[in-house]
Amino acid sequence: MHLNDNVSNKPYPFGFKFFACRRRSLSSWPLLIVLFLLSYTARAQDNNPLITLSEKNVPLTTIFSKIEAQTSYQFLYENKLLERVKKVSIDTKNMPLVKVLELLNMNLAKQQLGLKIIDKTIVLKQLAAITPIPFRSTGIIINAVTKLPIQGVTVKSKREPYIAGATNAEGYFDLPGFQGDTLIVSYIGFETLEIVASGSKTANFSLKPMSKTLDEVVVTNGYQELDQRTLTSAITTLKAKDILVPGIFTIDQALEGRVPGLFVVNNSGEVGSAPKIRIRGTSTILGNQDPVWVVDGVVVNSPLNIDPQTVNDLDFVNRLGNAISGLNPADIDEINVLKDASATALYGVRAANGVIVITTKKGHAGPPVINYSISGTFTGRPSYNNINVMNSQQRIQYSEELVAKGLNYPSVINYVGYEGALHDLYDGTTNYGQFEQQVGQMETRNTDWFGAITQNTLATQNNLSISGGSNKMRYFVSLGVSDEPGTIRGDKVKRYTSTVNLNADINDKLQWNMSLISDIDQRNFVAQSVNALNYAYNTSRAIPLYNPDGSLSYYQRYSQADDNYFDFNILNEINNSRDISNGGSIRLNTNLNYKISNVLKATVLFAYSYSNTTEQISYGANTFYAANLRGSDYGVPLTSAEQYETTLPVGGELQTNLTRNNSYTVRTQFDFNKSFGNNNINLITATLGGEASSNQYTGYSTDRRGYLPDRGETFAAIDPTKYPSYAQWALLDDADVIKDELTNLLSAYFTTSYTYNSRYTLNFNTRTDFSNKFGSESNSKFLPTWSVSGRWDMAQDLFKDSKTVNVLAFRGSYGYQGNMLDYQTPNLIIKQGDPDPITGENSSTIAYYPNPNLQWEKTGEINTAIDFSFLQNKINGSLSYFYKKTTNAFLDKAVSDINGLDTYVVNSGQLVNQGLEVALSFTPINGGNGFKWRIDPQLGEVINKLIGNALNTNVQNQATGNPNTFSNYLNGTALINGKAINSFYSYQFAGLSHTNGMPTFKNDDPSNAALYASLTNDQVYQMVMQPSGNRIPTIQGGINNYFSYKSVFLSCNLTYSLGAKVRLFALYPDDANGVAGNPGPLPEENVSAEFLKRWQNPGDETHTTIPALLNYNDYVNTELHWSYGQTYQYANNIWQMYDNSDIRIVSADYLRVSALQIGFKIPDKILKKWKLKDTFISLAGTNLFTLDSRLLHGQDPSQAGFSAATQVPIQPTYSFNLSVSL
Amino acid sequence: MLFFLPVILLISGCKKFLTSDSQDLQYADTYTKLDELLVGSGYEQHPAQDGAYDDMFSTYETQMYFPWLNVMDDDITEFVSGFDYNSYGRDTREEVFGFYTWQSNPFVSSSYVPGTDDMWPKVYTAINAVNIIAEKATQLNDNPTQLRRIRGEALFLRAGYYFDMVNLYAGAYNKATAATDMGVPLKITDFVEDRFFSRSTIDSVYRQIVADLAEAETDLTGVTQKNIYHADINAVNLLQSRVFLYMQDWSDASTAADKVIARKGTLYNLAGYQHQTSFLSSASPEAIFTQGGNAMIYNMLEGATVSFCPSPELMNLYTSTDLRKNAFFELDEVGKYRYIKVYRSVAANILPTETYSDNFFLRTAEAYLNKAEAAAMMGNTVAANQAINTLRQARFLAKDFQPVSYSGGQLVDFIRDERRRELCFEGDRWFDLKRYAVNTQYPFSESIVHTYSKTDENVAPYIAATLTLAPNDPAYLIPIPAPAITFNQGALKQNPTRPNRQF
């Protein structure tokens, strides 16, 4: 209480006044004098006399006199006050005076009166007389270090009624209250401060930042909030605002190089495609290798159910989006990446590949803060500048030589380009003069396929959010629109998002949170079968795109399916072959928290999500695709024979795939948190919860022909008798497919930890799941996931009070997870089939053989780490090592076909993943208001190894018994003992032949036939091929720099990736039949400019590795490899071998400027004029520069060259961003 | 209380919540599901013949069982009358080229592109299905009567599959050496055995067949046959009599045949045969059981100029009054006798709606033939002649029928010829030739000659090869598939190398 300040102009400066008592009537004496006098007169009495009273319904004065009679105390009161007191009863026996007064005070409290001993006088005073003077506490909160005002600081009065507010952008606060109120000032990351505001509007209060170490931050694993100071698990926490730069449209793109141990593999730069993420390696072979995504504590499912084998395929481009594609990155507050077993144990078996927990933004108490941001992102298209293919003239010359050599093409040939002109000359359509003229035109044509097929794009992102609220209720609402055109002409992804987050404190005990996140997702692509970019890469520039009159120029392209030629123009295909997907999702997440007592809290959570994705793939009647089915060119009437054969008589085709996802989670959780002992030195926390979740995919696929998109999107009526083949297709072959897949999961989890003296922490987690999957009825029914972990804060023991070592903590964890495959049970599972065609009896087939001996796949993981902070927190970081071993790994083992099946899932593999992770953060320069530089290097290394101990592998380096094929070896899907998953092999190039420049390979001689026949296939493959490395990098990391000087900031994020290898694009791509290794390019195809350096004359083999053009006889002999048809066949032909040989392997190591941003905060003076708050503009670029192997010849390291389809390279983007707050 | 509500709801709904769910997958935990499995995976599938096209053999071939079984023996020969311009020289010999010409790898194409044996894994898949069904039928108990029937059918099927496999991939049952002769790998367990398999002896395979049939006989006693596509006790007894015949166990063969004759002795009297109908049909009084498809209607395709036809040797066995000649064969538009046991004609627009196998059609006629042979071997000439005459009576018009009466080797020869006349192109001749060679009393073997003609546009067809299959030729055994040999790493032994007949 501050009663005595500031007496000047107030009539009654004291809290209360004294008036007459019974004996003496006093006028308005100053209190202190009265007290002084009274205390002086009553000095000699004993201190706490015992009182005996037995009064019923007597006036207060009666009691006063009785007490006076028994003691030396006297009562002092104002008569006016006594009028308010009703009659009082009291019954005491030898009770100390203090106690008696307490009893009386309880009676008097209602009248706002109280008795108080002041020396030897007992004063009856009016409590309400404290009525303070209305007052406005004002001031400015500044950062003690930077001396800059802080926005959003909570300022709250210490006494009831609690009044709270927040500072504005100038750090200014203004709270109603009373003179002298104590205010509590708090802000995340700063020490809490108590102040008494003077009322001065300019008074500064400094808030000291908390020591900026790893501590203080509360991290979440989705189920609990964990104090980082006692954290025992491997969790990396990122603030979304630190990693997001304009030009990034989904959060997964922003994770590259930010989290040690989290590898991002971008296999395509196509708009909307999701990157592949691996956390701490690959710990399962047959199961899904992706991490689990969690938003606000609830696992989110992908809108589409793609099977694990497809998702795991490194060449699979997921352009329909993953679980978090619909989430606006601007709505994300924080990302926690859970890496070790201790962190993920609470998620059970699903989480063996790590968990990424996203927390969305919440509102803070205070006046509404409106934020609007707009960004525009420019992406340049790929062009011939960095692509190594021939121009028209080179290509024509190449053809001339092909013809001169008499090289026979495959029997299918399109007469276009040089060959076409020559054909016309030969059959007399043209004369030599015309021929020369045509060739001359072609040589200078240089069609810009990239210009025609790809486009420069400008993507935009608009986000509007409002947040704020009162102490009791806080809100965050946001709307977002992003419009992202793709570099392939016609590709576009549009997304509309909205988020509502409400947090309400209903009363002291009950708290309610609700969030509603919804999105609409529109994706418009060129149908995948068109493979537009491939066309740009591989089409001869001598072929025209347009006719001289400006119309599209068509040529006859070979169709393998129909063994025929049809008109083709790529722009016509792009425009009329569309893959349009419309998706929408809504996620509701609500929970109630109830504080049962100070130590026990209960939570009920309910989350529901619904998503709907409709993908429509359409082909117009004028497409090559339709011509293929129809059997005739567009507009050419069908002959009667064709009518009989055609499966598409009229119009085009429309394929519709609809997928709905419905899922819900219900969770009840109890949290216990108790400290005890001296100074609360022991802390026990525990969480017990139960959860039911259900996830259902339903949908259907249809395929309809006769589609007339330009005639009101109708379907033509087709007479089945006139078109019997179509009728057969429509009635028999084209069955609609309905999908229905339901996964229910019932789980219980428990976690507890004990901390002593905030130095030693021990933690235990466990969870068990029961599901409705067929695999759940496995042999060993019950296998919980569990982990133990601990932390020792060594600095407190060893470096107490050290100025150099601020934090030094050791963390360790061990955890154990089991995994069961769906459908592998000791029971027979049958698949219901069609009724028997003749008897009509129901029939079923065996879907899954009983697998009674299958055990759980078990993964044990050790994680050790040291967290440190040195030199007054200038250097922070952590160093981790993990060792993850999967035993009993599921492998498809080959078994004798006498068992009725070829492969069978067995527990025969072991997978080891180990690695080092380094996360550092330096602040070399921290000049207060001036220059600041922070640098955070990250490094993650993961080494993966498969140890197969399958039956009878007594031969060293034998495969695990898996049915590996030679293409498995070449594309990195073979499973080989002692090799990392995704290792791939290549043929061993042995130089070009001196005689004809043909490529030769080691151990590739027909004289080996007898030897190879006596070996297993794997042994043969390993003789003719050698390991080339891995498709997944072993080291990935990033270096993040942040500079700021006054209101300008610059951030620069470098990412690097080491250890992966890629193949160069094939020199001999697939032929028209899809067979790899086509030595004679079709006239329409372009060829790599590498051929300019090809072998021409004997002796060239010393300085070139590019094979020669063979003469006809030699060429024919190379069409089929000599091992063709043998059980050990290991190649298609030498051209396919050449493309897959070791000289076509290049390191995919890169160092990339993945993000660069320069921002400028608008000075406050200007902002004030416009009534704005926190406003900044920034320029950003992503993927601006990549340092990679020069042997890639312009190929992007993300373009792996393993599959026939060429993926869009990662392109640089340039963005402008403006963010305004009101 | 609110907080416990979800928990309570969950625990009470727990069982339903966690019931295994899938769109089309089920645990095989009731007899109806085992029954469905028997139909879908146990029995050989019979592809529907929609008949819209006449060149669908290659489409159906993958669905058929042993489509090449009837092209290796002396009942068949090629028919080449010239290049077929209408069908661009379509050659129905192509699909079975390696079998007809007894190539060292019979699964080779006519251009010697090696193919793989798809039948071995297919049959072993079926064997494993019936292994599982037979075992599962003993574990379930929701309907003991039906489960007993299911087990009986499954065991019958297992016997049938092993009978085919041992006769194709191994030699005939030779009493003297059967205990050591290599048969086929025997796998009768219901679980996957992750081991290297070796070949069981012919004797043990036969003993398994006999045991399975014996149990099937018990299980199927008193069971009414659902339809011709389900095995019943007659099917079991008929197969038993055939198996015993092959084992030269004459008395058991005779007993089993008698059981069939006693129960279902009526024969299809060909006097009532209508042209352009199928002899093999469920309407036939002698039809007992069938499974699988029919490749013969494609092998001797109507109107095909490059195709197969019955060998003159076979056709010469029929006397002019033998009704079988015209009930089994028809002279088509290009002048060849073609197979019509299942009648199919695009020209006459007659397409079969049901499927009757060309290698697994059990019918009463065989019971008479088995009976006759067993009796003849046991020296019971009267019974043998009686059985053969009963059959022949149904194969001739009453006015043309003349009972026979032979004895000794003559009788045996006549029964063997009668068997050929009656059961041609039903999957018997190849096996019969093999077993006649090891017959202890009346061994018989011959050389088979197959010609192979080339046809090209603008060139008259010419005979490119005349091939001979000598007695005891290694080509009597289908080679064990290479993948099985490789996989089992030496444990599984290959048959003697078949001579290379490349031309």
Side-chain angles (χ1 to χ4, degrees), chain B residues 113-185:
Chain B
V113 176
T116 48
D117 183 349
D118 54 339
M119 208 47 63
W120 170 282
K122 193 166 158 171
V123 174
Y124 271 108
T125 304
I127 287 174
N128 280 281
V130 294
N131 283 340
I132 292 171
I133 295 166
E135 179 60 29
K136 200 84 195 165
T138 63
Q139 292 164 0
L140 298 179
N141 50 11
D142 58 333
N143 188 332
T145 320
Q146 292 295 329
L147 287 167
R148 195 171 62 108
R149 171 187 61 80
I150 288 164
R151 181 170 165 84
E153 290 184 31
L155 292 176
F156 165 82
L157 286 171
R158 184 159 79 191
Y161 287 130
Y162 274 118
F163 175 78
D164 281 342
M165 291 303 274
V166 77
N167 277 290
L168 285 167
Y169 293 92
Y173 186 93
N174 184 336
K175 269 189 157 168
T177 57
T180 51
D181 287 346
M182 287 191 299
V184 289

Side-chain angles (χ1 to χ4, degrees), chain A residues 43-270:
Chain A
R43 182 169 300 166
Q45 306 292 325
D46 57 53
N47 242 350
N48 201 0
L50 301 172
I51 314 284
T52 303
L53 286 172
S54 185
E55 303 295 335
K56 271 205 165 165
N57 286 327
V58 296
L60 195 56
T61 45
T62 317
I63 293 167
F64 284 179
S65 22
K66 296 239 163 153
I67 293 172
E68 278 182 341
Q70 293 177 32
T71 65
S72 60
Y73 285 77
Q74 284 185 319
F75 283 85
L76 182 65
Y77 54 93
E78 192 184 352
N79 286 329
K80 207 168 78 188
L81 294 181
L82 286 176
E83 290 162 16
R84 286 156 49 184
V85 182
K86 290 180 186 146
K87 290 191 175 158
V88 181
S89 302
I90 193 162
D91 193 0
T92 69
K93 202 174 179 186
N94 288 333
M95 185 183 273
L97 175 65
V98 182
K99 289 268 176 192
V100 175
L101 293 185
E102 273 179 30
L103 277 176
L104 287 168
N105 275 340
M106 281 164 68
N107 273 317
L108 295 169
K110 278 177 207 151
Q111 284 80 39
Q112 292 178 323
L113 296 173
L115 294 161
K116 193 178 182 191
I117 301 172
I118 298 168
D119 206 2
K120 281 296 169 186
T121 305
I122 300 166
V123 185
L124 174 68
K125 53 179 190 174
Q126 179 164 11
L127 298 177
I130 310 165
T131 308
I133 304 117
F135 180 74
R136 291 198 80 83
S137 304
T138 53
I140 294 170
I141 308 291
I142 59 161
N143 184 320
V145 178
T146 63
K147 310 294 178 201
L148 290 172
I150 315 174
Q151 185 185 6
V153 177
T154 308
V155 183
K156 186 174 155 186
S157 67
K158 197 176 181 182
R159 64 162 180 80
E160 289 185 79
Y162 302 116
I163 294 164
T167 59
N168 67 9
E170 288 86 43
Y172 180 74
F173 66 91
D174 181 354
L175 282 189
F178 303 106
Q179 179 93 45
D181 279 355
T182 304
L183 304 176
I184 299 170
V185 182
S186 60
Y187 189 60
I188 291 178
F190 288 81
E191 287 173 1
T192 302
L193 183 69
E194 290 195 11
I195 58 165
V196 175
S198 64
S200 158
K201 298 202 173 186
T202 53
N204 278 351
F205 300 94
S206 297
L207 210 52
K208 257 171 74 185
M210 286 184 175
S211 43
K212 230 178 167 191
T213 53
L214 296 171
D215 50 9
E216 319 311 335
V217 189
V218 170
V219 302
T220 176
N221 63 8
Y223 284 95
Q224 298 166 289
E225 306 243 293
L226 305 165
D227 182 348
Q228 188 135 28
R229 283 170 300 188
T230 58
L231 187 67
T232 57
S233 319
I235 299 178
T236 302
T237 304
L238 300 167
K239 282 281 175 193
K241 67 174 166 46
D242 294 338
I243 63 166
L244 282 176
V245 282
I248 282 182
F249 289 78
T250 56
I251 194 73
D252 45 5
Q253 296 169 341
L255 292 174
E256 186 180 356
R258 302 289 187 171
V259 183
L262 182 150
F263 287 15
V264 175
V265 181
N266 284 298
N267 63 356
S268 171
E270 190 165 5

Side-chain angles (χ1 to χ4, degrees), chain A residues 594 604 668 692 738 740 744 746 772 774 828 830-832 836 841 844-845 894 896-900 904 952, chain B residues 3 10 14 17-20 23-24 26-28 36 40-41 46 120 125 128 187 192-194 196 230 487:
Chain A
Y594 183 73
V604 175
T668 300
I738 293 181
D740 186 354
N744 287 339
L746 195 63
N772 71 331
F774 279 83
L828 173 67
I830 60 171
K831 182 176 165 50
Q832 295 168 324
D836 184 283
E841 292 174 275
S844 293
T845 49
S896 173
D897 58 3
I898 288 159
N899 285 295
Y904 189 59
N952 301 312
Chain B
F3 293 92
L10 285 181
C14 199
F17 189 73
L18 294 179
T19 304
S20 296
Q23 198 175 345
D24 56 357
Q26 303 263 335
Y27 285 121
E36 286 183 18
S41 291
H46 31 251
W120 170 282
T125 304
N128 280 281
K187 190 204 174 264
V192 172
E193 292 184 46
D194 186 7
F196 295 145
H230 279 272
F487 185 88

Side-chain angles (χ1 to χ4, degrees), chain A residues 592 594 602-604 644 664 666 668 670 691-694 725 728 738-740 742 744-746 770-774 777 823 825 827-832 836-839 841-850 893-901 904 951-952 1125 1127, chain B residues 2-4 6-7 10 14 17-28 33 35-37 39-41 46 48 50 52-53 56 113-114 120-121 124-125 128-129 132 136 185 187 190-197 226-227 229-230 353-355 482 484 487-489 492:
Chain A
L592 273 176
Y594 183 73
T603 305
V604 175
Y644 189 80
Y664 66 83
V666 185
T668 300
F670 295 92
E691 184 178 280
S693 62
S694 176
S725 300
Q728 157 133 359
I738 293 181
K739 290 171 283 186
D740 186 354
L742 174 72
N744 287 339
L745 207 62
L746 195 63
F770 302 93
S771 92
N772 71 331
K773 280 286 175 193
F774 279 83
E777 284 194 25
Y823 307 118
T825 81
N827 298 317
L828 173 67
I829 300 176
I830 60 171
K831 182 176 165 50
Q832 295 168 324
D836 184 283
I838 292 168
T839 63
E841 292 174 275
N842 283 330
S843 78
S844 293
T845 49
I846 295 180
Y848 295 93
Y849 283 77
K893 185 180 185 306
V895 291
S896 173
D897 58 3
I898 288 159
N899 285 295
L901 68 173
Y904 189 59
L951 189 78
N952 301 312
T1127 50
Chain B
L2 175 70
F3 293 92
F4 293 100
V7 180
L10 285 181
C14 199
F17 189 73
L18 294 179
T19 304
S20 296
D21 179 273
S22 167
Q23 198 175 345
D24 56 357
L25 299 180
Q26 303 263 335
Y27 285 121
K33 286 178 193 161
D35 215 7
E36 286 183 18
L37 191 60
V39 172
S41 291
H46 31 251
D50 55 29
Y53 307 94
M56 283 214 148
V113 176
W120 170 282
Y124 271 108
T125 304
N128 280 281
I132 292 171
K136 200 84 195 165
K187 190 204 174 264
D190 63 326
F191 46 86
V192 172
E193 292 184 46
D194 186 7
R195 64 175 172 97
F196 295 145
F197 284 84
K226 230 185 259 180
N227 53 47
Y229 303 97
H230 279 272
T353 52
E354 290 196 36
T355 307
F487 185 88
N488 292 287
Q489 299 190 6
L492 195 67

Side-chain angles (χ1 to χ4, degrees), chain A residues 974-992:
Chain A
L975 297 172
I976 301 154
N977 287 354
K979 290 282 167 197
I981 304 290
N982 301 314
S983 296
F984 66 99
Y985 279 66
S986 302
Y987 302 107
Q988 307 163 68
F989 181 69
L992 298 174

